[in-house]
Amino acid sequence: MNNLQKHYDEKWNKLSKVSELIDGGLWSYSVTLTHQKYEKCYLLIEYDRGKACYGIYYGCQMPVEIEQKYSQDLDSLKKEIWESYKKEIYPITTNVEMDNVFLPDCEPDCRYSKNVFWLFWIRLDEHLTMDDAMKRLYALIKIFKEKGFTK
């Protein structure tokens, strides 16, 4: 185990929520929400021990067929979510841009193996704790619910 992996292992182990070990090296905590139009989405925090350089990240995954069906609508939804997220997480910072925080899907493996894509993902800043990650995930859940998603 290298130092980076050890660092993130220790950080992840401080997560007080029940998480799931998937595929022997991917830790995940997720919440599934449903929507009349978009069917479902997964709001999650993940840490892939095999890709420790990614660090701990969180965001929104959706089924690939939803992206194919509603790509234009998803761009609008993502912008709406960003505006609410920015107000919640960065209330006094005005120069934070969506494309610097809501990172694009860069994992084609997910599209093929899990049949999902990342609507966006956010790398957890190093100075933040797992409690901070959970607060930010709960903020996303609240925002998604305001946009018509339900548990």
Side-chain angles (χ1 to χ4, degrees), residues 102-117:
F102 278 17
L103 301 172
D105 189 357
C106 63
E107 283 296 319
D109 294 348
C110 285
R111 291 177 180 271
Y112 304 115
S113 64
K114 298 180 196 168
N115 219 17
V116 295
F117 75 100

Side-chain angles (χ1 to χ4, degrees), residues 55-82:
I56 295 169
Y57 48 93
Y58 60 101
C60 175
Q61 287 185 341
M62 293 180 136
V64 170
E65 61 270 9
I66 300 304
E67 179 187 36
Q68 294 162 351
K69 225 172 168 177
Y70 300 110
S71 66
Q72 299 258 338
D73 295 340
L74 289 173
D75 288 341
S76 296
L77 174 66
K78 183 175 161 180
K79 287 175 186 165
E80 289 176 32
I81 291 167
W82 165 249

Side-chain angles (χ1 to χ4, degrees), residues 9-121:
D9 282 356
E10 289 171 1
K11 196 168 190 171
W12 184 269
N13 288 333
K14 293 178 183 167
L15 181 63
S16 58
K17 297 287 177 189
V18 176
S19 60
E20 182 179 0
L21 181 61
I22 304 169
D23 298 332
L26 177 67
W27 284 100
S28 181
Y29 172 78
S30 68
V31 174
T32 302
L33 299 178
T34 59
H35 188 273
Q36 186 174 7
K37 180 178 183 177
Y38 302 115
E39 298 168 32
K40 63 183 167 185
C41 74
Y42 313 99
L43 298 175
L44 55 132
I45 302 174
E46 285 188 347
Y47 163 55
D48 187 342
R49 295 183 81 227
K51 297 176 183 170
C53 60
Y54 286 10
I56 295 169
Y57 48 93
Y58 60 101
C60 175
Q61 287 185 341
M62 293 180 136
V64 170
E65 61 270 9
I66 300 304
E67 179 187 36
Q68 294 162 351
K69 225 172 168 177
Y70 300 110
S71 66
Q72 299 258 338
D73 295 340
L74 289 173
D75 288 341
S76 296
L77 174 66
K78 183 175 161 180
K79 287 175 186 165
E80 289 176 32
I81 291 167
W82 165 249
E83 289 304 321
S84 297
Y85 183 83
K86 182 180 175 183
K87 286 177 191 167
E88 178 93 14
I89 304 301
Y90 305 106
I92 58 172
T93 307
T94 57
N95 62 348
V96 178
E97 298 296 323
M98 179 176 79
D99 293 339
N100 295 329
V101 178
F102 278 17
L103 301 172
D105 189 357
C106 63
E107 283 296 319
D109 294 348
C110 285
R111 291 177 180 271
Y112 304 115
S113 64
K114 298 180 196 168
N115 219 17
V116 295
F117 75 100
W118 286 96
L119 180 61
F120 60 86
W121 63 279

